[in-house]
Amino acid sequence: MNEKKELQVAALENGTVIDHIPSDKVFTVVSLLDLQNTDGNITIGNNFESKKLGKKGIIKVADRFFTDEEVSRLSVVAPNIKLNIIRHYEVVEKKQIVMPDELKSIVKCNNPKCITNNEPMQTWFHVVDKEQGILKCHYCEKEQQKDNIKLI
């Protein structure tokens, strides 16, 4: 007898599905978007099989659509994720998230002598290499890799 085993997760009427999240970054994404303090319906799945990533995570967030700033923050910790925008149970838009060319007020400079760590001003980084995740501070020109960054 063949039995089908399926994961039953409620479909979203309206909201956002964040897909192709590296498994080790799922809860970082939850924290970045402050989803733990959301009253709405949230489904978090982790360690699903993925041809591209090996293992991946997925987060479904009902009745929430993310701002460009939130998406930029996500791109720093989990580049190449996909956002599916759902309206009336239909995918109306798919977005491949990539790191922008510049990041403002998202990442802290790890140079203690940088002006952004000593004066009240926003940080500003140029993305030197999107594949490797290398950022360069606009002010002190110190480079740092995405694995060593601290988000503001």
Side-chain angles (χ1 to χ4, degrees):
M1 187 186 314
N2 288 341
E3 288 184 38
K4 283 190 175 181
K5 293 185 180 184
E6 296 180 20
L7 180 64
Q8 297 292 322
V9 177
L12 281 182
E13 180 177 0
N14 295 296
T16 305
V17 177
I18 308 167
D19 198 2
H20 297 281
I21 308 166
S23 286
D24 63 333
K25 300 294 185 190
V26 169
F27 293 101
T28 303
V29 169
V30 168
S31 179
L32 266 181
L33 296 173
D34 199 32
L35 297 178
Q36 68 275 16
N37 295 315
T38 300
D39 291 336
N41 197 342
I42 299 170
T43 303
I44 300 170
N46 202 8
N47 293 322
F48 292 113
E49 295 295 322
S50 167
K51 290 177 184 167
K52 286 183 181 177
L53 300 172
K55 299 274 185 184
K56 73 172 185 172
I58 186 169
I59 301 172
K60 290 183 170 188
V61 186
D63 302 315
R64 180 138 174 224
F65 305 95
F66 299 103
T67 65
D68 289 342
E69 181 185 333
E70 288 172 313
V71 170
S72 289
R73 293 175 72 82
L74 286 181
S75 74
V76 175
V77 297
N80 303 315
I81 59 175
K82 290 187 173 65
L83 295 185
N84 295 316
I85 310 303
I86 313 292
R87 295 193 192 278
H88 307 293
Y89 297 104
E90 297 289 329
V91 176
V92 296
E93 186 178 358
K94 289 185 174 208
K95 295 181 182 178
Q96 172 76 43
I97 305 304
V98 293
M99 197 179 291
D101 295 331
E102 294 184 340
L103 299 168
K104 293 186 178 182
S105 297
I106 294 174
V107 176
K108 178 177 174 36
C109 185
N110 60 15
N111 176 2
K113 294 183 179 183
C114 181
I115 192 168
T116 61
N117 289 319
N118 295 292
E119 298 290 333
M121 61 190 304
Q122 74 174 358
T123 61
W124 180 6
F125 284 88
H126 302 280
V127 179
V128 178
D129 185 333
K130 291 183 184 186
E131 280 293 310
Q132 300 296 318
I134 299 173
L135 312 176
K136 183 176 183 178
C137 179
H138 178 77
Y139 302 105
C140 73
E141 299 189 345
K142 182 166 177 63
E143 288 188 359
Q144 55 194 58
Q145 294 195 327
K146 72 173 183 169
D147 295 340
N148 299 323
I149 63 166
K150 290 188 178 124
L151 297 174
I152 296 174

